[in-house]
Amino acid sequence: MLRWLLRSLGIVLGLLLLALLSLWLLLRGSLPQLEGEPLLPGLAAAASIERDALGVVTVTASSEADMARALGYVHAQERFFEMDLMRRSAAGELAELFGPDALPMDRHLRVHRLRARTRDSLGTALGDKRALIEAYRDGVNAGLAALKVRPWPYLLLRQTPRPWEVEDSILTGLAMYTDLQDPANTRELALARLREVTPPALYALLSHDGSDWDAPLFGPARGDALLPEADAVDLRNLPDSSLMQTPTALQQDGRGTPAATQEHFPGSNNFAVAGALTADGRAILADDMHLGLRAPNIWFRARLRYADPAAPGGKVDVSGFTLPGLPAVIVGSNTRVAWGFTNSYIDTADWARLPASAPLREQREMIAVAGGPAEPFIVRESDWGPVLHEDADGSLLALRWVAQLPGAVRLDFAGMARASDLDAALAVADRSGIPAQNLLLADSHGRIAWRLIGARPDRDGACHTTGINDLRGKDTTCRPWPVRSDQAPALVDPSDHRLWTANTRVLDGTALDLAGDGGYDLGARARQIREQLFARDRFRETDLLDIQLDDRAVLMERWWKLLRQTVEHSDDPALQRIEAASRNWDGHASVDSVSYRMARGFRGITLDTLEDALLAPARSQLGERFITPKLAQLEGVVWPMLEQRPDHLLPPPYSNWNELLADSVHRLEADLAAQGADLAGRTWGERNTSAICHPLSRALPALSHRWLCMEPQPLPGDDNLPRVQGPKFGASQRMVVSPGHEADGIVHMPGGQSGHPLSPFWGAGHEDWVQGNARPFLPGPPLHTLTLRPR
């Protein structure tokens, strides 16, 4: 019996090992080819793909079309699944891969019918780049077909990848719209409804558009809000004190985050110094784009070298970050010009209220669903845009959003690769259809410039940039607007030789009125960057990297002091525990700081409490129609309340402001104690620990952390300081580069180059991003060379 049991066990173990070996071989079958000489139909001449130790690619080709074909080939082999997610997310087609669970996301975006609109305006999007995109498409499909086994995520999903189409590259660009802008224009609708029912003084307070932290390029800081008098706003007379909601942001996360409206949203930092501030006259540009983090990273590093008669010297040599799905460097340097972006947060969408009798077109969309029948989805469209809401009186709310319109994506931006100087780059910007961004430029002559780039509404004077345009009257002159990208505001060769943006307000006056406020971020990050730029008059690349990695808690210091004032000399045991744990302040959002975590949590709870009080009257009157707006400037409202402590702005049930602050500490202590009894161990790094995983990691919980996630590591930094880093959000890249001096440039990228967990480039370079170690901007010596031969 023992022999029989051992023999049976051996057979079972053998079968298990055989199954694991088969699975391993199957997974390896979808690894990209790194060396050899495969044939690639359509090439005019041989093209090479070199990879360095991090998997950074150098493509060398005889023409722009051959470059696009070769880049498409390598994008598909390394990142086809991620490319597929980009096009599907924009088009509302995720349920075809993931089943019914993805239907809410698909409905959210299918109402915009972005695939259908892309097909209708494909000529505008492609312009003179059709041959380029067709070459890229052919390269993508050839690279996919050359894999021995379809990419591993499709094996898990039991799906077959769909070939790439020309329109899919446009949808890739539109996917960035859906990430960087709000397809439902929620903030503007929320504010419009607040305005309907809120006393003017209270609405003015809630919608205050700046603070003392402002650091615009044009005009002065707005300053903190002026508080209304008691006869205008009195929170002691709220309609129902039960409407005061207990802050929900703390729920057992030990972080004390602000309310949902204050959470991470896509952003970035960029800044530049002109040649007057460097030893040899070089201009230097720094750029770090803040997005949701995943493995692999959204970007793919590449150097593209090819002959081009339209480029200076007849050739292009451009390095930086590509977006798989598009044959171009999105941010980078071409040896003559360097460029980088931050999200602009101008107003790119408008609501129109239409009568119930407005003529509408019904569009029938079918949402394919894996494992089930397709779901019919009816979109009602007006000349203004799709109808997203119907009010109780029968009136309709239609949304016009730049992403819906011809010109939202145009491939003229690819011309940045051949720009010869600042003026040529600005001319390219005039024709670029991308999500509205703050473009920073630096050229090899030492010049720098800022410009608003991308598609923006070309409104007439009667259309409002905020609120709802009521088109029910017959005499309205507001008409559906087209998009434009030319004649945008710019600041070229600033007299102080410095430029900076960080998703905050840049403009002022008439230019701001035309651009509109799409929800600018609090100015703390921008001000901290600006102050460091003016703290010295000589810069090298490493100096700009130091600013990118700055984790000094300038904003949070006053909150720590307020916390200390609240807990010192208290006989309350909970406050005494916080007092003992929060004594040491090093002024940084560092991984070992307990005080930073406590100050951060204290601020979040207090903001939640006062935001709930300020919104309670509107919540009471609007009921189910109430939407919590994103109040990015709430700091500039709450801080003067805490400084002046007016009785009429103290929300019930508190009898005085000290009681409100003590309650914030009580909530903080209860939350932190739930994470562990020893509050001295509740460091910021314990909470701010990276959780950067492949999108499919949740489908394999037993393997996800071992194979599909980067190693969890405590991270310094936070939202309102230059080193923006959270568990799943932060700098998706960092770049410091001077055009013509790329060999001195610095780069970071989390998540690695390859989308295959068995690749040597899975997670490559991620540790340098975590630690802030400077890595060369240019690719290193090639370890692998793949030569693509024409057929």
Side-chain angles (χ1 to χ4, degrees):
M1 178 64 70
L2 180 59
R3 282 196 221 98
W4 182 86
L5 288 174
L6 291 174
R7 190 177 299 117
S8 299
L9 179 61
I11 293 172
V12 170
L13 290 175
L15 291 173
L16 179 60
L17 290 173
L18 183 61
L20 290 174
L21 178 61
S22 299
L23 177 62
W24 184 76
L25 291 174
L26 189 64
L27 291 176
R28 285 192 59 83
S30 60
L31 280 169
Q33 183 177 353
L34 304 183
E35 297 178 339
E37 297 188 0
L39 299 178
L40 180 55
L43 279 180
S48 69
I49 299 172
E50 298 175 339
R51 287 175 171 87
D52 70 2
L54 298 180
V56 181
V57 164
T58 299
V59 175
T60 304
S62 63
S63 67
E64 185 181 34
D66 275 6
M67 176 279 296
R69 202 176 299 269
L71 184 63
Y73 188 96
V74 72
H75 274 169
Q77 293 223 321
E78 295 280 14
R79 298 286 195 86
F80 187 84
F81 179 69
E82 289 72 30
M83 294 165 62
D84 195 10
L85 292 184
M86 292 283 282
R87 62 176 173 177
R88 287 179 181 276
S89 64
E93 298 169 350
L94 291 169
E96 188 176 8
L97 271 184
F98 299 106
D101 287 348
L103 277 171
M105 295 177 63
D106 282 355
R107 296 188 196 107
H108 177 63
L109 283 166
R110 186 65 73 92
V111 72
H112 299 289
R113 301 181 61 245
L114 294 183
R115 183 176 289 280
R117 294 177 187 276
T118 296
R119 287 171 175 165
D120 290 344
S121 60
L122 193 57
T124 300
L126 295 177
D128 62 358
K129 301 295 183 184
R130 178 177 288 273
L132 179 73
I133 296 301
E134 288 176 344
Y136 181 78
R137 171 204 62 194
D138 294 344
V140 168
N141 290 328
L144 179 63
L147 293 173
K148 297 176 182 177
V149 178
R150 64 185 185 271
W152 68 269
Y154 297 98
L155 298 175
L156 176 67
L157 296 169
R158 293 178 293 176
Q159 297 279 357
T160 300
R162 190 174 71 199
W164 196 256
E165 301 177 59
V166 166
E167 67 200 45
D168 292 332
S169 287
I170 309 305
L171 285 167
T172 299
L174 289 171
M176 295 307 297
Y177 273 91
T178 67
D179 198 11
L180 297 171
Q181 299 176 9
D182 178 9
N185 201 23
T186 306
R187 174 181 177 271
E188 195 162 279
L189 181 59
L191 290 174
R193 290 180 177 175
L194 280 182
R195 190 184 293 113
E196 292 175 10
V197 300
T198 303
L202 178 55
Y203 181 80
L205 191 64
L206 287 166
S207 60
H208 184 67
D209 65 346
S211 73
D212 284 345
W213 296 93
D214 292 350
L217 294 179
F218 296 87
R222 287 282 191 270
D224 288 344
L226 296 176
L227 301 183
E229 298 296 332
D231 58 352
V233 177
D234 193 339
L235 296 185
R236 295 170 298 186
N237 297 322
L238 290 175
D240 184 352
S241 61
S242 67
L243 292 170
M244 291 289 295
Q245 297 183 345
T246 300
T248 58
L250 289 178
Q251 296 175 350
Q252 297 184 9
D253 71 358
R255 186 181 188 189
T257 52
T261 55
Q262 302 297 316
E263 278 292 357
H264 296 300
F265 54 102
S268 304
N269 302 324
N270 61 14
F271 42 98
V273 294
L277 300 180
T278 61
D280 57 2
R282 70 176 71 181
I284 311 175
L285 171 73
D287 185 76
D288 47 299
M289 297 185 286
H290 308 151
L291 295 169
L293 302 179
R294 70 183 192 197
N297 188 36
I298 185 174
W299 309 113
F300 184 84
R301 289 182 60 197
R303 182 178 189 179
L304 310 177
R305 301 188 296 188
Y306 54 92
D308 187 336
K315 63 179 181 179
V316 166
D317 184 356
V318 58
S319 302
F321 297 85
T322 68
L323 178 63
L326 288 166
V329 168
I330 306 302
V331 298
S333 180
N334 70 5
T335 75
R336 297 172 178 85
V337 177
W339 64 95
F341 298 121
T342 69
N343 202 24
S344 69
Y345 285 98
I346 67 168
D347 185 4
T348 57
D350 285 326
W351 291 103
R353 190 181 301 280
L354 308 175
S357 59
L360 300 177
R361 302 176 296 276
E362 284 198 352
Q363 305 287 352
R364 182 181 175 86
E365 296 272 317
M366 297 299 294
I367 303 180
V369 182
E375 176 181 286
F377 185 72
I378 304 299
V379 179
R380 295 188 296 167
E381 288 191 340
S382 68
D383 290 341
W384 188 266
V387 173
L388 270 62
H389 301 279
E390 182 172 344
D391 279 351
D393 63 358
S395 63
L396 310 173
L397 281 182
L399 181 65
R400 195 165 190 81
W401 177 35
V402 291
Q404 302 163 348
L405 303 177
V409 174
R410 291 204 311 270
L411 299 180
D412 303 77
F413 183 76
M416 197 67 78
R418 65 173 70 94
S420 57
D421 56 23
L422 204 67
D423 295 328
L426 289 169
V428 172
D430 261 352
R431 307 185 301 273
S432 295
I434 64 173
Q437 301 284 294
N438 293 303
L439 169 69
L440 279 198
L441 296 165
D443 76 4
S444 56
H445 303 292
R447 301 176 65 199
I448 59 174
W450 165 85
R451 187 191 188 279
L452 186 62
I453 186 177
R456 65 190 196 279
D458 189 11
R459 298 180 178 95
D460 61 40
C463 289
H464 303 296
T465 60
T466 58
I468 297 174
N469 293 283
D470 195 337
L471 305 187
R472 291 175 296 179
K474 295 181 179 179
D475 59 347
T476 181
T477 57
C478 181
R479 296 288 183 264
W481 37 257
V483 300
R484 69 182 306 174
S485 60
D486 62 336
Q487 299 182 23
L491 178 55
V492 181
D493 297 324
S495 59
D496 53 26
H497 313 298
R498 300 163 175 88
L499 289 169
W500 62 92
T501 77
N503 315 121
T504 57
R505 179 177 63 84
V506 173
L507 297 166
D508 201 11
T510 302
L512 178 61
D513 293 339
L514 291 173
D517 178 358
Y520 298 120
D521 197 9
L522 181 68
R525 257 190 305 133
R527 196 175 92 173
Q528 199 162 326
I529 292 168
R530 183 190 66 182
E531 289 177 352
Q532 291 197 80
L533 289 175
F534 280 93
R536 57 191 307 158
D537 57 10
R538 278 290 180 268
F539 292 90
R540 300 172 299 172
E541 281 83 351
T542 52
D543 299 320
L544 271 64
L545 176 64
D546 288 343
I547 298 176
Q548 289 179 319
L549 299 179
D550 179 17
D551 63 5
R552 290 177 302 124
V554 177
L555 170 69
M556 211 60 67
E557 182 167 3
R558 67 184 188 182
W559 284 93
W560 174 75
K561 291 178 179 178
L562 182 61
L563 171 65
R564 295 297 301 168
Q565 292 170 10
T566 304
V567 299
E568 286 178 339
H569 313 301
S570 173
D571 57 4
D572 185 306
L575 271 61
Q576 288 177 341
R577 287 190 288 272
I578 293 292
E579 190 280 327
S582 65
R583 292 172 185 170
N584 298 319
W585 176 257
D586 68 357
H588 291 260
S590 54
V591 297
D592 57 353
S593 176
V594 175
S595 290
Y596 180 83
R597 184 175 181 180
M598 292 186 172
R600 217 271 198 181
F602 175 65
R603 173 181 181 264
I605 298 167
T606 305
L607 288 177
D608 285 349
T609 299
L610 292 173
E611 178 181 298
D612 283 339
L614 294 169
L615 292 174
R619 186 184 296 110
S620 172
Q621 295 182 65
L622 289 170
E624 292 183 355
R625 296 180 65 240
F626 176 80
I627 303 171
T628 304
K630 184 181 80 174
L631 302 177
Q633 306 301 327
L634 189 62
E635 176 82 19
V637 175
V638 166
W639 194 255
M641 293 172 66
L642 296 174
E643 285 187 315
Q644 300 171 38
R645 304 193 178 191
D647 289 341
H648 62 284
L649 295 183
L650 177 67
Y654 304 109
S655 59
N656 58 65
W657 285 92
N658 287 337
E659 184 181 333
L660 183 150
L661 295 173
D663 183 58
S664 293
V665 179
H666 268 281
R667 294 179 183 178
L668 174 66
E669 193 275 338
D671 178 59
L672 292 175
Q675 315 303 309
D678 182 10
L679 296 189
R682 306 283 72 77
T683 64
W684 177 238
E686 179 190 56
R687 176 57 187 88
N688 205 45
T689 297
S690 63
I692 301 172
C693 297
H694 190 276
L696 292 184
S697 62
R698 286 178 295 177
L700 295 170
L703 299 176
S704 60
H705 290 291
R706 176 66 179 87
W707 300 108
L708 296 181
C709 296
M710 300 296 102
E711 180 184 356
Q713 292 179 287
L715 300 173
D718 198 7
D719 299 32
N720 287 307
L721 43 87
R723 191 169 188 170
V724 174
Q725 289 187 152
K728 299 181 181 180
F729 183 91
S732 61
Q733 53 80 234
R734 295 190 192 101
M735 173 183 81
V736 182
V737 64
S738 172
H741 302 273
E742 285 79 5
D744 299 321
I746 299 167
V747 73
H748 292 153
M749 192 177 82
Q753 282 275 91
S754 179
H756 201 302
L758 297 182
S759 168
F761 310 125
W762 170 262
H766 178 79
E767 184 65 22
D768 293 311
W769 174 85
V770 171
Q771 301 299 332
N773 300 326
R775 295 289 301 197
F777 175 77
L778 292 177
L783 295 184
H784 305 279
T785 300
L786 183 73
T787 302
L788 302 173
R789 300 288 182 186
R791 175 178 290 176

